[in-house]
Amino acid sequence: MTAELELSSWLPPEQMLPEAFSSGTTDARGANWRGQSLGTTDFSGAALCRVDLRGCDLSGCNLEGTDLRLARYDRATIWPEGFEVRSSGAVGPGAKLNGAFLNGTDLRGMDLRGASLMGTYLSGADLSGTLLDDVRLVGADLRHAVLRGARCRGARFGGCQLDYADFRGADLTDAGLEGVESIKGADFSLCIGLAEQLGALRARPYLELDCWNPMTRKNTREALELLS
């Protein structure tokens, strides 16, 4: 006979606290544990997808078989000795995310310096205020992505699809935009660091430059002309 679900004590995964794992909990997808010290919690085999682990101390935790896909970490996150977070599927500095599916992901304010994002699917992702200095985004899909105020100094965008991308206020100093696949409907209003690339961008096909962006209510040509 199947046991009845006890709804009076049930909590959705995103509300789970770390201490619940001592009683057999295995699912905390989407929880916010930012800045917490997680002691010696056993997370082996647990689902920690999309958990915010920025500033957390996991140095004493068991992470064997833990699902960390899209979990967020930063330079203040402390991992167990020898744990290879860069290949775990988590998102943060130095993460190896080439070809990963991050469509629509909320990455606002993340530090992604040193990350590998070649061929990554970032369509519709929110990267507002994200640090992307020197990151290689070659071949990435950034259609409809939001990069408002992002810092992209020295980032490489060769082969990227930038259709309808929102770069308003981004820092694109020394960024490599030559060879992008398309900037159709992209909005570069208030960007800095584009002076040397304006000529090449304004020479793009008229089908890209005269495309209206319904979200920013501007076409690409107008946005580039405002940078003069």
Side-chain angles (χ1 to χ4, degrees), residues 195-213:
E196 295 182 3
Q197 302 188 67
L198 274 180
L201 291 174
R202 289 171 176 167
R204 301 285 301 190
Y206 77 90
L207 289 176
E208 297 178 21
L209 296 175
D210 295 329
C211 181
W212 179 256
N213 187 318

Side-chain angles (χ1 to χ4, degrees), residues 129-144:
T130 298
L131 297 178
L132 292 163
D133 294 350
D134 298 315
V135 172
R136 291 180 61 80
L137 290 138
V138 177
D141 182 356
L142 286 161
R143 291 174 293 178
H144 298 276

Side-chain angles (χ1 to χ4, degrees), residues 5-170:
L5 179 64
E6 184 55 64
L7 294 177
S8 62
S9 59
W10 180 84
L11 286 175
E14 63 270 19
Q15 293 183 19
M16 284 296 174
L17 299 174
E19 48 265 33
F21 281 77
S22 62
S23 59
T25 294
T26 60
D27 189 352
R29 289 172 292 177
N32 184 358
W33 296 347
R34 190 168 184 175
Q36 295 191 43
S37 178
L38 303 179
T40 58
T41 307
D42 183 2
F43 292 120
S44 57
L48 301 187
C49 311
R50 305 188 309 279
V51 174
D52 193 340
L53 298 171
R54 286 177 287 182
C56 285
D57 183 354
L58 298 101
S59 58
C61 297
N62 181 357
L63 297 177
E64 184 177 356
T66 305
D67 187 351
L68 289 165
R69 287 174 296 173
L70 300 186
R72 290 179 283 179
Y73 68 93
D74 59 15
R75 296 179 189 277
T77 306
I78 304 174
W79 300 98
E81 185 176 354
F83 182 73
E84 183 48 75
V85 63
R86 294 178 299 174
S87 302
S88 68
V91 181
K96 297 178 181 179
L97 298 165
N98 291 339
F101 289 89
L102 302 179
N103 298 323
T105 305
D106 182 0
L107 300 172
R108 289 176 294 176
M110 290 289 295
D111 182 354
L112 296 181
R113 290 174 293 180
S116 300
L117 295 170
M118 296 177 64
T120 303
Y121 295 88
L122 289 159
S123 178
D126 192 343
L127 296 131
S128 301
T130 298
L131 297 178
L132 292 163
D133 294 350
D134 298 315
V135 172
R136 291 180 61 80
L137 290 138
V138 177
D141 182 356
L142 286 161
R143 291 174 293 178
H144 298 276
V146 179
L147 295 102
R148 289 194 297 266
R151 204 173 76 186
C152 309
R153 299 174 184 172
R156 316 313 294 174
F157 291 95
C160 283
Q161 296 170 292
L162 302 180
D163 296 4
Y164 304 101
D166 183 355
F167 281 96
R168 288 179 292 177

